[in-house]
Amino acid sequence: MAKELLKGNVAMAEAAVRAGCEAYFGYPITPQTELLEHMAARMPELGRAFVQAESEVAAINMVYGAACTGKRVMTTSSSPGVSLMMEGISYIAGTEVPMVLIDVMRGGPGLGNIAPAQGDYTQMVHGGGHGDYKTIVLAPASVQEAIDLTALAFDLADKYRAIVVVLADGSLGQMMEPAELPEMQPLKKQLPDWAITGEPGRDRRLLTSIYLQPEDEETTNIRLQRRWMEIEANEVRYQEYFLDDAEIVLVGFGTAGRVALSAIRHARAEGIKVGLFRPVSLSPFPAEALRLVARKAKAMLVVEMNAGQMLNDVRLVTQGACPVDFYGRMGGVVPLPDEILSEIMRLARFTPHDLNGHTRAAWLDRLEVVRGAK
Amino acid sequence: MVATDIQNAKLVYERPESLADVATHYCPGCTHGTAHRLVAEVLDEMGIREHSIGVASVGCSVFSYNYFDMDFVQAAHGRAPAMATGVKRVFPDRTVFTYQGDGDLASIGMAEIMHAAARGENITVIFINNAIYGMTGGQMAPTTLPGMKTTSSPRGRDVETQGYPIRMSEILATLDGVSYVVRRSLHNPAEIRKSKKAIRYAFETQQRGLGFSMVELLSSCPTNWGMTPLDSLTFIEDKMVPAFPLGDYKVIDAVKSMKWKEG
């Protein structure tokens, strides 16, 4: 297929259709609405299920029901809507049925705004719903990658009976880029042996997340943990840019990683040895790879569109192998390459040996200066 | 001679195939067991047990999947109609039903039931109204009668501060997506027979693709009402029926004219 100019939201929707998504349930919310609208047009014309639910709570529970049939199923939303889905996500995780969720993140907390942000890192990567469960979280940085990861999400969901989240943001959802869509995949012919299908001539099946005996619930938890270790061993994904000789290493995902890369190209032109580590799977987190990078780096700068939600994970993983600094914008503000470039320049002039735990306080002080300059 | 008698005896009453051969956890005198049996008999008589998918709710009927012998999923509290929507949209040719109590359906799940009905989802809802939260130990429900004592309305439901009971069948009957909604009761054999007939109508409605169907069943909760089983049946007749009148709230013409062979 040839490249075409595609809007992120539409591209992800069509990628899901072509990956064999048989049921979609969603609720309108900006900045992901075109995704729902595309599914509203496409799914019925293909004879597949589409329901505009009365709320995100209902949407995720419709997904829950459809996921129990073993067919490929998806919902999409944006940050406040995803918060509402947390109940269903926990149930779906506890029932061990596969589903795909695309979260096109926006500014928060609260109603926030409809501008791009990355404030859902913690709620998606570290849970949000109750109980011990993990979701696979994939963070694209371009429309093409959003297409590819959406297709991958369905495969991973099926393989591990897992919830797979494509964590995009408003800019990825709204931007148009040349990208190539995959071929239409055939629909799943064989349903798994746990699927609720109402098929005559076999023993009845049950899918539930209630195990009244604590020992039984613990057995389920052990199974979830074991499966997660398998995912950690096999499904780590990341991208490295200019890291061969890098002294300063930027760490950023999605749009923040993409803006960081622009800044890095400018800095390289100035002769600064700086590179980028971009986690693609935020969960499982590319811990081992990042640890190796940290051992060779003089300093790291984590760049995010939040107050440093991934920063905590980077610190945990690198365990002081190098100083870890932070720069972020919040509330829907996207950092400009120039802002990140001046951060790189700062670290190039003065590479800290130790940040004394004041990383965030110092960042907020610098941020006030950046804001005051406008 | 006894053995000969048994050989010639005609079996007139047995466990429906749709009902699993296990003891239930329901309290003595609770009418959940009656409601389960009626649903099971109807599914047997229609020959659709193996094509059916049940959606269990949260409340005393949370374990209903242990008692019905067919594929089942377990919904989150109040979300059974949404989950049933998900199943039904993927498998339109299967019989999909929810079995929900009053707290589940009329309180936390109000949005889900209203919109499933408004969409005319081709599912069947069995709604057990016993005016109380059973599983959590007898708290006030959206259908608790004015003045009725519960553990969260210990001086009796005060309508000034705790509002009035919700009549779901009447509300749902206003929606164009609803094809069949009736209220019946389980407090005596005559009403039980009428209840079964209503359940048959509801499932026949779904089988014919006619849209949303619900049977509300007034039910007893001797344990949490603090009554003997017998007194609780009298309570249904004397107190609940006047507050929740029995009757057909919406039966579209296509449902009225349905015919089937009794078997």
Side-chain angles (χ1 to χ4, degrees):
Chain A
M1 293 229 162
K3 280 195 177 181
E4 48 192 318
L5 195 59
L6 290 167
K7 188 174 197 172
N9 281 336
V10 173
M12 288 187 280
E14 185 58 26
V17 168
R18 295 186 184 196
C21 177
E22 285 190 70
Y24 173 93
F25 309 93
Y27 185 83
I29 183 170
T30 312
Q32 68 84 49
T33 303
E34 297 88 351
L35 223 163
L36 172 136
E37 288 169 345
H38 187 80
M39 298 306 262
R42 283 289 274 155
M43 296 296 272
E45 75 184 21
L46 293 165
R48 305 182 192 177
F50 168 89
V51 179
Q52 179 175 326
E54 60 271 27
S55 67
E56 287 88 350
V57 174
I60 193 70
N61 282 285
M62 290 175 188
V63 164
Y64 188 13
C68 287
T69 69
K71 298 204 175 184
R72 291 193 157 182
V73 50
M74 178 173 86
T75 187
T76 64
S77 190
S78 178
S79 310
V82 173
S83 297
L84 270 174
M85 291 183 177
M86 283 302 164
E87 171 197 57
I89 288 172
S90 174
Y91 276 72
I92 290 166
T95 308
E96 303 167 74
V97 287
M99 68 157 285
V100 172
L101 162 67
I102 298 176
D103 177 4
V104 184
M105 293 182 285
R106 60 186 246 182
L111 199 50
N113 55 45
I114 58 173
Q118 297 183 325
D120 291 5
Y121 178 93
T122 300
Q123 81 163 347
M124 295 323 310
V125 170
H126 294 296
H130 57 283
D132 285 293
Y133 71 91
K134 289 273 199 178
T135 59
I136 297 173
V137 182
L138 307 171
S142 68
V143 172
Q144 185 64 60
E145 198 176 23
I147 291 169
D148 298 344
L149 293 181
T150 300
L152 175 68
F154 283 97
D155 291 340
L156 295 181
D158 279 345
K159 185 174 179 188
Y160 296 104
R161 296 180 65 167
I163 297 169
V164 184
V165 180
V166 176
L167 195 63
D169 62 58
S171 63
L172 274 169
Q174 296 297 323
M175 73 164 64
M176 292 187 85
E177 282 189 309
E180 192 176 345
L181 284 161
E183 299 284 344
M184 182 74 87
Q185 295 298 307
L187 297 181
K188 211 192 263 187
K189 285 199 183 70
Q190 186 107 31
L191 294 178
D193 59 9
W194 48 260
I196 296 290
T197 57
E199 192 70 33
R202 57 155 171 76
D203 286 344
R204 67 173 156 151
R205 292 175 184 168
L206 166 69
L207 283 173
T208 180
S209 70
I210 183 172
Y211 300 92
L212 210 54
Q213 295 304 321
E215 290 76 12
D216 295 340
E217 185 67 73
E218 190 176 51
T219 302
T220 303
N221 270 281
I222 289 170
R223 190 167 60 245
L224 290 176
Q225 293 299 319
R226 293 268 181 221
R227 191 178 297 144
W228 184 253
M229 284 176 183
E230 198 187 327
I231 291 168
E232 275 185 325
N234 297 317
E235 306 302 343
V236 166
R237 288 173 169 81
Y238 56 90
Q239 291 283 335
E240 297 180 326
Y241 308 82
F242 306 111
L243 283 187
D244 287 345
D245 62 344
E247 294 173 353
I248 300 166
V249 176
L250 270 55
V251 185
F253 68 92
T255 295
R258 182 174 172 146
V259 179
L261 189 57
S262 298
I264 286 166
R265 291 204 170 98
H266 288 297
R268 280 272 166 185
E270 304 278 325
I272 299 169
K273 290 180 176 173
V274 55
L276 172 69
F277 184 91
R278 183 168 67 84
V280 174
S281 63
L282 303 180
S283 173
F285 196 68
E288 202 49 50
L290 188 59
R291 199 172 290 133
L292 292 174
V293 170
R295 282 189 195 138
K296 292 193 291 178
K298 282 188 180 165
M300 273 188 175
L301 176 74
V302 177
V303 180
E304 297 183 75
M305 281 144 61
N306 59 44
Q309 296 185 15
M310 185 177 68
L311 169 66
N312 297 341
D313 287 332
V314 173
R315 279 174 162 169
L316 200 64
V317 160
T318 55
Q319 294 175 342
C322 70
V324 179
D325 211 341
F326 176 70
Y327 186 75
R329 296 302 301 260
M330 298 169 289
V333 181
V334 181
L336 296 171
D338 280 356
E339 293 171 51
I340 299 172
L341 182 60
S342 64
E343 289 284 303
I344 295 169
M345 295 298 199
R346 179 177 61 82
L347 288 172
R349 279 195 303 274
F350 172 69
T351 305
H353 298 291
D354 183 9
L355 289 163
N356 290 325
H358 295 309
T359 316
R360 274 201 180 79
W363 155 62
L364 284 173
D365 289 345
R366 297 198 307 281
L367 183 58
E368 297 285 6
V369 174
V370 171
R371 285 162 56 93
K374 282 179 185 161
Chain B
M1 289 303 110
V2 175
T4 315
D5 286 348
I6 289 173
Q7 272 180 5
N8 294 329
K10 192 182 166 203
L11 189 65
V12 294
Y13 194 77
E14 63 181 330
R15 177 178 288 276
E17 258 190 66
S18 295
L19 215 51
D21 191 7
V22 294
T24 75
H25 72 289
Y26 299 120
C27 303
C30 167
T31 42
H32 263 308
T34 311
H36 279 27
R37 185 176 171 105
L38 297 183
V39 171
E41 284 180 354
V42 166
L43 295 177
D44 276 15
E45 285 164 18
M46 292 174 69
I48 55 174
R49 175 182 74 90
E50 287 194 308
H51 303 270
S52 296
I53 299 172
V55 183
S57 63
V58 172
C60 282
S61 58
V62 65
F63 294 120
S64 55
Y65 57 70
N66 285 330
Y67 312 137
F68 287 109
D69 193 3
M70 62 203 64
D71 279 11
F72 246 82
V73 293
Q74 168 64 54
H77 198 19
R79 317 295 177 224
M83 203 174 183
T85 298
V87 174
K88 185 74 181 185
R89 292 290 180 121
V90 173
F91 284 125
D93 62 335
R94 300 295 192 263
T95 304
V96 179
F97 70 98
T98 72
Y99 186 103
Q100 304 173 255
D102 44 66
D104 192 88
L105 182 141
S107 188
I108 195 165
M110 183 58 107
E112 285 76 13
I113 189 66
M114 290 298 288
H115 285 271
R119 285 191 303 269
E121 288 296 339
N122 194 33
I123 60 171
T124 299
V125 174
I126 306 298
F127 170 37
I128 304 295
N129 178 3
N130 62 8
I132 205 155
Y133 281 81
M135 189 173 71
T136 46
Q139 293 75 34
M140 187 182 73
T143 48
T144 293
L145 303 178
M148 190 172 167
K149 283 186 180 175
T150 71
T151 60
S152 58
S153 58
R155 287 176 292 280
R157 181 174 190 164
D158 174 7
V159 296
E160 292 298 319
T161 58
Q162 295 171 308
Y164 295 87
I166 298 173
R167 296 184 184 92
M168 288 306 300
S169 290
E170 286 86 332
I171 292 172
L172 290 174
T174 66
L175 298 174
D176 292 344
V178 173
S179 298
Y180 184 74
V181 58
V182 301
R183 184 182 291 118
R184 299 287 186 267
S185 178
L186 299 172
H187 70 270
N188 67 35
E191 295 301 333
I192 288 169
R193 289 179 73 86
K194 288 183 195 163
S195 296
K196 182 178 170 183
K197 196 171 177 194
I199 292 167
R200 177 76 186 253
Y201 264 94
F203 279 103
E204 292 283 355
T205 299
Q206 181 178 170
Q207 284 306 98
R208 287 162 167 75
L210 294 176
F212 183 89
S213 55
M214 183 179 92
V215 179
E216 177 177 349
L217 297 169
L218 300 185
S219 199
S220 69
C221 184
T223 298
N224 288 302
W225 291 354
M227 293 178 198
T228 64
L230 201 56
D231 285 348
S232 68
L233 296 179
T234 309
F235 182 84
I236 295 177
E237 187 166 15
D238 293 350
K239 304 290 185 193
M240 285 189 63
V241 171
F244 298 102
L246 308 183
D248 296 358
Y249 287 93
K250 185 170 182 189
V251 184
I252 63 168
D253 288 342
V255 172
K256 276 182 196 151
S257 60
M258 290 189 310
K259 295 267 188 298
W260 60 82
K261 271 188 188 164
E262 296 293 343

